[in-house]
């Protein structure tokens, strides 16, 4: 006998089984994502969950690259996608000459990351993505942020529940390039990856890593401290005073806030100089949605990545998008008592009392199914009527049709409405 260890019968740590009730929740959530995407005029795409590991080879020290699930098979190095964005870049590149810009694409991929587990953080998650390719102006950012709020609204969360923090990477880059990074622009991406850890490891550790002479950034200690101090700015006007005169990043942020005002969501978005995000490819506006009570990790994160396609060898195409996970939002909805009670959606149960009645029962079920009803036929024999009624009720069915010898002889089914308890007869032909 092959004995399987009990632990091998669990789903691998950090992954989930979806029982029917779990899948009902997932479908409900995805329906909201799809409906919002549709209302914004986005088209759905997908890509394989398996990619060439090479697609994720980036050297900025990002967590996402270190957490890759990868393996070699027949001489190929493959990886489970930790995110969708590089796959999208690949897809865009393959048809670059034939696409009509801007593209508005959305997807709901399952993504895999070997994470340290915390609340809302898992080793697989589904991530709703919306991306705009081919539009350089912040009109795209504004649409995307409006879509994020349209989704949280549709999920029942109020304006006070979910907020967005937003920044512009170029704000930091403009200053650093004119100064400490003048000769080493390539240090900017690893710098952002380190700064992104501020909440997690604290200011002192960030300064230490930025100033580590053996590290990828190697600022002098004074410059590192100054940089970290600037991350405390929470006011765009203050940031503007510290930025170079006529900074394009400041102008874009001002324009973005005007647009957000027209969408009616400007009061849910705050400027926050500490938001840089942990992915190397972002170049412009970066943002994060979070729960205002502040107990969970980011609900959603995104930004502009105008140079990703070039870095993969394509012609440059400006792009911006976000990823919105299923796990954090589920925790948040549960905290707020907003997880809906989702019925199975069964309409009717057809119950042949004996095998003699089965053909008649099948014909009735066929008719109702053809009308679009969800119909269960009792498959076994000898079930008691009470049990059938109780099961049907629990499944949320509205009616049960009973066909016994007497009903069969008269060519009818006895149909009971479970809510009212009333019975009527329905002709079988
Ligand atoms: P990200 O910030 O790594 O960005 O992930 C986006 C969102 O996915 C997070 O805010 C969170 O809701 C969810 N998420 C990420 N990792 C996990 C995890 N281990 N468990 C549960 N949820 C998770 C990206 O992935 C970018 N590719 C997003 C993007 C699209 N940027 C532009 N377009």
């Amino acid at each position: 006998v092959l004995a399987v260890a009990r632990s091998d019968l669990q789903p691998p740590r950090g992954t989930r089984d979806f029982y029917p009730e779990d899948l009902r929740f997932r479908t409900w959530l995805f329906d909201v994502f799809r409906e919002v995407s549709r209302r914004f005029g986005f088209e759905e795409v997908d890509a394989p969950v398996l990619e060439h590991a090479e697609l994720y080879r980036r050297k900025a020290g990002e967590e996402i690259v270190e957490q890759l699930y990868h393996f070699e098979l027949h001489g190929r190095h493959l990886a489970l996608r930790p995110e969708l964005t590089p796959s999208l870049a690949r897809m865009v590149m393959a048809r670059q000459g034939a696409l009509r810009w801007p593209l508005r694409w959305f997807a709901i991929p399952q993504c895999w990351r070997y994470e340290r587990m915390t609340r809302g953080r898992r080793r697989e998650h589904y991530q709703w993505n919306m991306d705009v390719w081919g539009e350089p102006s912040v009109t795209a950012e504004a649409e995307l942020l409006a879509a994020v709020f349209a989704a949280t609204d549709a999920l029942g969360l109020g304006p006070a529940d979910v907020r967005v923090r937003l920044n512009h990477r170029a704000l930091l880059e403009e200053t650093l390039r004119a100064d400490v990074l003048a000769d080493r622009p390539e240090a900017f991406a690893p710098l952002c990856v380190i700064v992104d850890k501020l909440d997690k490891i604290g200011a002192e550790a960030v300064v230490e890593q930025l100033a580590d002479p053996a590290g990828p950034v190697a600022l002098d200690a004074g410059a590192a401290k100054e940089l970290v101090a600037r991350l405390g700015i929470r006011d765009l006007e203050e940031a503007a005073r510290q930025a170079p005169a006529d900074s394009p990043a400041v102008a874009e942020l001002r324009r973005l806030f005007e647009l957000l005002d027209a969408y009616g969501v400007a009061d849910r978005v705050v400027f926050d100089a500490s938001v840089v995000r942990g992915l190397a490819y972002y170049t412009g506006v970066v943002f994060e949605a979070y729960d205002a009570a502040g107990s969970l990790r980011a609900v959603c994160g995104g930004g502009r990545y105008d140079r990703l396609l070039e870095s993969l060898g394509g012609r440059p195409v400006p792009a911006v998008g976000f990823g919105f996970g299923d796990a954090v939002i589920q925790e948040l909805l549960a905290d707020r008592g907003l997880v809906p009670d989702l019925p199975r959606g069964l309409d009717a149960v057809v119950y042949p009392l004996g095998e003699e009645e089965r053909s008649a029962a099948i014909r009735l079920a066929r008719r109702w199914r053809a009308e679009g009803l969800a119909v269960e036929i009792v498959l076994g024999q000898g079930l008691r009527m009470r049990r059938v009624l109780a099961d049907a009720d629990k499944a949320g069915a509205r009616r049960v049709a009973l066909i016994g010898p007497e009903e069969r002889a008269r060519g009818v089914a006895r149909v009971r409405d479970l809510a009212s308890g009333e019975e009527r007869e329905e002709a079988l032909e």
Side-chain angles (χ1 to χ4, degrees):
V1 200
L2 189 75
V4 179
R6 269 180 79 147
S7 57
D8 290 342
L9 294 173
Q10 302 287 322
R13 189 170 148 73
T15 70
R16 294 166 290 182
D17 292 324
F18 290 87
Y19 288 87
E21 60 276 18
D22 307 315
L23 203 70
R24 280 205 290 278
F25 172 79
R26 191 176 96 183
T27 302
W28 171 79
L29 184 66
F30 288 12
D31 283 350
V32 170
F33 294 157
R34 289 206 165 89
E35 175 58 16
V36 169
S37 305
R38 188 190 66 77
R39 284 195 223 158
F40 279 74
F42 281 59
E43 294 180 281
E44 187 164 8
V45 297
D46 201 0
V49 70
L50 203 63
E51 289 278 9
H52 294 289
E54 199 58 13
L55 190 61
Y56 307 106
R57 201 187 53 169
R58 303 192 293 249
K59 292 198 195 88
E62 298 157 284
E63 257 190 345
I64 198 169
V65 175
E66 288 158 14
Q67 295 169 335
L68 211 58
Y69 277 90
H70 62 108
F71 56 92
E72 278 189 33
L73 196 66
H74 304 302
R76 297 209 194 291
H77 190 189
L78 300 166
L80 296 179
R81 63 181 168 204
E83 57 162 341
L84 185 69
T85 313
S87 303
L88 289 183
R90 192 175 57 60
M91 288 168 71
V92 169
M93 208 159 96
R95 298 208 179 160
Q96 212 166 351
L99 292 166
R100 256 196 81 218
W101 315 102
L103 301 177
R104 296 174 173 88
W105 282 359
F106 84 95
I108 314 178
Q110 190 180 31
C111 300
W112 295 82
R113 301 180 188 183
Y114 196 80
E115 290 259 9
R116 233 176 311 112
M117 304 252 300
T118 57
R119 188 156 173 245
R121 189 98 339 200
R122 332 188 44 88
R123 292 185 180 165
E124 53 72 25
H125 69 284
Y126 285 88
Q127 196 191 84
W128 173 40
N129 281 246
M130 284 178 87
D131 291 88
V132 178
W133 289 81
E135 177 50 57
S137 81
V138 291
T139 53
E141 276 88 336
E143 275 275 289
L144 293 169
L145 288 166
V148 168
F149 290 122
T152 56
D153 286 350
L155 293 168
L157 292 160
D161 289 325
V162 177
R163 302 189 157 265
V164 164
R165 294 189 256 266
L166 165 157
N167 189 14
H168 199 309
R169 271 201 183 176
L171 210 52
L172 197 58
E173 198 174 8
E174 285 165 354
T175 320
L176 294 172
R177 279 217 187 175
D179 185 15
V180 287
L181 293 190
D183 323 319
R184 308 181 288 131
E186 72 286 352
F188 184 67
L191 179 143
C192 288
V193 171
I194 294 173
V195 166
D196 181 60
K197 301 185 211 162
L198 185 66
D199 275 348
K200 206 153 81 185
I201 65 175
E204 242 171 74
V206 168
V207 170
E208 204 171 288
Q209 291 189 16
L210 289 175
D212 179 359
V217 186
L219 293 184
D220 73 67
K225 273 203 189 111
E226 206 175 294
L227 191 162
V228 171
R230 268 222 312 276
L231 302 175
I233 299 174
R234 296 288 178 273
D235 173 39
L236 180 53
E237 293 319 309
E238 173 62 25
R241 275 192 292 279
Q242 303 218 6
D246 64 1
S247 146
V250 168
E252 284 191 3
L253 285 171
R254 290 213 169 105
R255 179 67 186 137
L256 178 53
F257 273 102
E258 282 168 17
L259 294 168
L260 291 174
D261 192 44
Y263 283 96
V265 296
D267 54 348
R268 305 194 210 178
V269 181
V270 293
F271 173 79
D272 183 334
S274 72
V275 173
V276 295
R277 315 245 318 117
L279 297 168
Y281 50 63
Y282 291 120
T283 52
V285 170
V286 279
F287 57 86
E288 258 168 28
Y290 61 99
D291 89 286
S295 56
L296 296 162
R297 317 236 347 215
V299 169
C300 139
R304 179 167 283 280
Y305 49 100
D306 287 349
R307 293 195 288 267
L308 179 59
L309 221 61
E310 277 168 275
S311 76
L312 295 173
R315 272 178 282 131
V317 177
V320 53
F322 68 77
F324 185 124
D326 65 339
V328 180
I329 195 74
Q330 184 168 6
E331 297 282 348
L332 182 55
L333 293 171
D335 282 358
R336 299 295 148 82
L338 289 170
V339 174
D341 193 13
L342 298 164
R344 246 186 79 181
L346 191 65
D347 295 305
V349 173
V350 177
Y351 175 34
L353 215 57
E355 282 312 291
E356 303 283 283
E357 284 77 43
R358 187 157 299 277
S359 300
I362 289 170
R363 279 197 294 277
L364 178 62
R366 282 174 62 192
R367 194 167 83 214
W368 281 352
R369 285 171 178 167
E371 288 167 14
L373 297 181
V375 182
E376 205 181 82
I377 306 185
V378 175
L379 297 173
Q381 287 168 37
L383 243 62
R384 311 184 67 127
M385 183 62 180
R386 233 184 14 197
R387 160 89 193 278
V388 171
L389 287 174
D391 285 353
D393 197 40
K394 211 168 140 205
R398 282 168 304 174
R399 49 174 128 143
V400 173
L402 172 92
I403 307 172
E406 190 214 329
E407 284 80 15
R408 178 166 57 96
R410 294 178 30 236
V412 297
R414 192 141 53 86
V415 180
R416 181 197 284 240
D417 181 299
L418 290 179
S420 65
E422 272 166 35
E423 285 191 356
R424 62 181 172 82
E425 288 189 344
E426 176 151 337
L428 285 172
E429 295 310 327

